[in-house]
Amino acid sequence: MMAATEEYDVVVLGAGPVGENVADRVRAAGLSAVIVESELVGGDCSYWACVPSKALLRPVIARADAQRLPGLRQAAGGPLETPAVFARRDEYVAHWKDDGQVSWLESAGVDLVRGHGRLVGDKRVAVSDADGQERFLTARHAVAVCTGSAAALPDLPGLTDVRPWTSREATSASAVPRRLAVVGGGVVATEMATAWQALGSEVTVLVRGSGLLERMEPFVGELVAKSLAEAGAQVRTGTSVTGVRRAQSGGPAGYGSGAGPVTLTLAGGERLEADEVLFATGRTPRTEDIGLETVGLEPGSWLRVDDSCRVRDVEGGWLYAVGDVNRRALLTHQGKYQARIAGAAIGARAQGVPLLESDPWGAHAATADTAAVPQVVFTDPEVAAVGLTAAQAEAEGRRIRVVDYDLGRVTGSALYADGYRGQARMVVDLDRGHLIGVTFVGPGVGELLHSATVAVAGEVPVERLWHAVPAFPTISEVWLRLLETYRG
């Protein structure tokens, strides 16, 4: 006999920001919802990623800005007070307790089931709790997989025994390793290299490619690498790690792992010793043990979806995959955007309302995932970008014009910091007459990004942007300089 089940309109696997937003949106559509979570409600972003990393980085950036100003330079020249930095980080992650997040779910009318959830057939989910007890949930309309992604580790012999840092350890550690090796050249690698170098580690960044942040405009990685080097870090490109080993005893007090140093073997035979090693080498979907095989999908795979985030390869249209698991844009804010789209689509389909699938910028299509993804990298200098790079646009066969401007020549930038160093680029689609990509790199540019996002997502004609007058003297005046350069 089949065990009794609890019925809801929508069952959500994963209570990170994405799952929370799916549940909130379907509740707003008048549907009942339950979230299944095996860890902390709030997910990686709240406890091991976005929030703690930015809490660690904010004092670093504030000090760097202060050191660029007469009257503050000498006062800000000392080391960071690391216990205070860690304490503030701990407050922002609520000391890794999720009471506040649970209260929010309750206020939104969303039920919570603690345990590991897995699909066991069409619209049916089994949940196993910590005691091994099992309960079953059935969805009347949809199941949404919002289980996110995890750090992908390379296939190196003995890596597990080394107990390497991933993004989780790098954002939650409260002891500063004397020497930190960072393997990777992306966002996690550059942000954590910035943070831990400032907190007192001797940082060596090992990059397999030719530079940092290679998916962005070339000048981005060049400026970030230069700044890291000036701060005392070593950035080594064209370098691969072929082996790792950790001594099990010895070494000074304060090792984050409580064991001895790590020896990394590099391609060519060179060896590098560090006290901790962070592998920031990509992400993998958390879909390996959620019952995908019961609905004809491959465990551990990324899930293919349409623009409403409905899984393409499952009959009946009841399964959705939202956030990192669909690999469209592995960013928290983009996952939350998808959640708003998916929640609206689930609600419309449940009510028999036709979807606006023919409208690429309508309520039921996550078009920004391909046309207007914004991202800030909180290094020193900051990086802010939205849309396509020039290389990506050319690869798509677009006829474009690239406009660059030295951010240091803007009056607002010069007032912001002595010796301001930065760069701005806009990519114009000449056939359509609007921006398809914008990149800024420099101190404080993160707050410039939303104006760029509005221009790209809104497909605002370049000629209309001429009438969007930036205030003087702000860094935003770079918009006028870019447009003047474009006009000639």
Side-chain angles (χ1 to χ4, degrees):
M1 294 180 61
M2 183 174 289
T5 67
E6 303 163 64
E7 284 195 343
Y8 291 87
D9 290 322
V10 179
V11 177
V12 180
L13 297 182
V18 175
E20 289 176 324
N21 274 266
V22 170
D24 181 56
R25 288 298 84 204
V26 298
R27 287 290 296 132
L31 304 179
S32 62
V34 60
I35 280 186
V36 180
E37 178 56 60
S38 60
E39 293 189 298
L40 296 177
V41 175
D44 265 30
C45 178
S46 299
Y47 305 103
W48 300 288
C50 315
V51 172
S53 66
K54 298 341 170 245
L56 290 174
L57 283 159
R58 179 61 197 139
V60 176
I61 303 305
R63 183 181 67 168
D65 284 344
Q67 289 175 333
R68 297 184 182 105
L69 290 173
L72 278 176
R73 187 173 292 121
Q74 186 172 358
L80 293 172
E81 187 182 337
T82 53
V85 174
F86 292 144
R88 184 171 185 264
R89 183 268 319 272
D90 294 351
E91 289 178 7
Y92 270 89
V93 298
H95 299 275
W96 291 276
K97 296 179 181 178
D98 62 2
D99 298 2
Q101 301 271 14
V102 172
S103 294
W104 180 85
L105 283 182
E106 293 171 352
S107 71
V110 178
D111 287 351
L112 170 65
V113 174
R114 300 273 192 182
H116 176 70
R118 66 187 190 285
L119 296 166
V120 288
D122 287 9
K123 300 182 185 178
R124 187 169 163 83
V125 172
V127 184
S128 303
D129 64 20
D131 298 323
Q133 299 297 311
E134 196 167 63
R135 60 197 288 189
F136 293 89
L137 308 171
T138 296
R140 299 184 189 94
H141 297 291
V143 174
V145 176
C146 308
T147 48
S149 64
L153 291 172
D155 185 17
L156 290 175
L159 183 58
T160 302
D161 296 334
V162 169
R163 299 184 301 285
W165 279 10
T166 66
S167 53
R168 283 198 169 198
E169 290 76 20
T171 57
S172 61
S174 294
V176 179
R178 185 169 64 87
R179 300 163 300 177
L180 175 66
V182 178
V183 183
V187 175
V188 172
T190 53
E191 287 190 347
M192 290 298 93
T194 300
W196 287 100
Q197 176 70 37
L199 288 167
S201 288
E202 297 174 11
V203 172
T204 301
V205 184
L206 305 171
V207 189
R208 185 171 58 183
S210 60
L212 301 178
L213 299 167
E214 289 191 305
R215 295 183 181 179
M216 308 184 90
E217 298 286 9
F219 59 82
V220 169
E222 293 169 5
L223 285 170
V224 172
K226 185 173 184 178
S227 181
L228 278 170
E230 290 172 351
Q234 291 188 50
V235 179
R236 302 178 57 176
T237 58
T239 304
S240 297
V241 177
T242 59
V244 288
R245 180 179 58 82
R246 185 189 288 275
Q248 296 306 308
S249 61
Y255 282 86
S257 65
V262 178
T263 299
L264 292 86
T265 302
L266 309 182
E270 180 185 354
R271 294 186 176 181
L272 174 71
E273 189 172 272
D275 301 325
E276 295 294 348
V277 54
L278 163 62
F279 278 90
T281 50
R283 307 290 294 179
T284 187
R286 287 180 175 154
T287 59
E288 70 284 350
D289 188 24
I290 60 168
L292 291 184
E293 67 281 1
T294 69
V295 294
L297 300 176
E298 182 181 351
S301 64
W302 302 98
L303 300 178
R304 295 194 319 124
V305 298
D306 62 18
D307 280 347
S308 70
C309 296
R310 186 164 60 173
V311 176
R312 293 182 181 276
D313 304 316
V314 173
E315 292 184 5
W318 56 271
L319 186 63
Y320 290 73
V322 193
D324 282 11
V325 290
N326 63 36
R327 210 180 192 178
R328 287 169 65 101
L330 276 68
L331 295 160
T332 295
H333 50 269
Q334 213 64 26
K336 291 164 69 174
Y337 160 73
Q338 292 175 18
R340 296 190 291 271
I341 299 294
I346 292 169
R349 286 176 173 134
Q351 295 162 9
V353 176
L355 264 62
L356 304 175
E357 294 179 282
S358 61
D359 181 359
W361 293 104
H364 305 129
T367 303
D369 282 347
T370 55
V373 175
Q375 181 174 17
V376 177
V377 186
F378 292 84
T379 47
D380 176 33
E382 283 183 347
V383 181
V386 62
L388 302 178
T389 65
Q392 290 166 343
E394 288 174 343
E396 290 185 3
R398 296 175 184 255
R399 195 169 66 91
I400 64 170
R401 182 175 169 193
V402 176
V403 182
D404 290 328
Y405 197 82
D406 180 354
L407 259 172
R409 294 171 57 195
V410 176
T411 302
S413 302
L415 289 168
Y416 187 93
D418 284 3
Y420 190 103
R421 189 167 64 203
Q423 184 78 17
R425 169 173 288 185
M426 68 179 192
V427 181
V428 183
D429 186 316
L430 294 175
D431 293 320
R432 303 191 66 187
H434 63 77
L435 305 184
I436 54 175
V438 181
T439 299
F440 304 111
V441 57
V445 299
E447 298 304 328
L448 294 179
L449 184 58
H450 197 60
S451 59
T453 303
V454 170
V456 173
E459 298 181 347
V460 181
V462 173
E463 293 305 314
R464 177 59 63 86
L465 286 176
W466 186 252
H467 298 281
V469 182
F472 178 85
T474 64
I475 302 176
S476 292
E477 203 176 14
V478 69
W479 279 110
L480 175 58
R481 304 302 172 218
L482 286 166
L483 293 167
E484 287 175 334
T485 304
Y486 178 74
R487 279 195 165 194

